[in-house]
């Protein structure tokens, strides 16, 4: 939330001016659910699409038997944390660490393929 202005100022691509027929949206998660962020996004010409904090939890409470879904990235990070070499980063050379990341991804993909046949 604190770096929204700097992030929006650092957009390197020239974008066309938004029009009522073609507005430009900015999708953000519930960590950006603040009035200051909404005002900043509007000032830069974007239409804010920000999830409201607590909205998803309330919706899930109303529906029995539905579990909360984890984002794909969070789930993948959880899978990667099972590899101790990545979690603790023993390697000093970046090349070795990147190779270990690639190997862990290969193991994760291989395991997922076994589940689906």
């Amino acid at each position: 939330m604190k770096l929204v202005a700097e992030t929006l100022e650092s957009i390197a691509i020239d974008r066309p001016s938004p029009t009522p027929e073609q507005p430009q949206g900015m999708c953000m998660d519930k960590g950006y659910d603040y009035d200051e962020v909404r005002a900043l996004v509007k000032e830069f010409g974007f239409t804010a699409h920000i999830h409201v904090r607590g909205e998803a939890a309330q919706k899930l409470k109303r529906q029995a038997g539905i579990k909360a879904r984890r984002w794909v990235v969070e789930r993948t990070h959880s899978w990667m944390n099972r590899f101790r070499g990545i979690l603790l980063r023993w390697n000093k050379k970046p090349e070795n660490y990147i190779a270990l990341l690639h190997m862990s991804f290969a193991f994760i993909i291989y395991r997922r393929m076994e589940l689906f046949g």
Side-chain angles (χ1 to χ4, degrees), residues 9-63:
E9 288 171 356
S10 69
I11 295 175
I13 300 171
D14 291 330
R15 57 189 184 91
S17 299
T19 62
E21 296 83 29
Q22 290 186 326
Q24 294 187 7
M26 174 69 67
C27 296
M28 302 171 125
D29 65 2
K30 58 188 170 188
Y32 296 96
D33 185 23
Y34 295 96
D35 292 333
E36 298 90 13
V37 174
R38 291 180 192 278
L40 243 157
V41 168
K42 187 174 185 178
E43 182 181 316
F44 277 88
F46 290 105
T47 303
H49 302 284
I50 303 173
H51 286 281
V52 179
R53 284 178 276 169
E55 182 179 89
Q58 292 298 327
K59 193 184 294 184
L60 286 174
K61 281 184 182 178
R62 289 185 219 127
Q63 298 175 354

Side-chain angles (χ1 to χ4, degrees), residues 68-82:
R69 295 185 321 195
R70 293 187 72 183
W71 292 95
V72 174
V73 174
E74 292 172 356
R75 181 186 65 197
T76 306
H77 285 163
S78 173
W79 290 341
M80 286 173 44
N81 287 339
R82 295 179 188 164

Side-chain angles (χ1 to χ4, degrees), residues 92-116:
K92 293 182 181 178
K93 293 183 179 178
E95 299 87 17
N96 293 345
Y97 182 70
I98 291 172
L100 193 58
L101 280 174
H102 285 252
M103 191 170 69
S104 68
F105 288 139
F107 279 127
I108 290 169
I109 292 169
Y110 177 73
R111 288 180 189 156
R112 298 298 294 173
M113 286 175 57
E114 282 184 345
L115 291 176
F116 297 113

Side-chain angles (χ1 to χ4, degrees), residues 77-91:
H77 285 163
S78 173
W79 290 341
M80 286 173 44
N81 287 339
R82 295 179 188 164
F83 297 92
R84 187 174 176 163
I86 294 172
L87 186 61
L88 298 178
R89 187 159 182 181
W90 296 98
N91 299 319

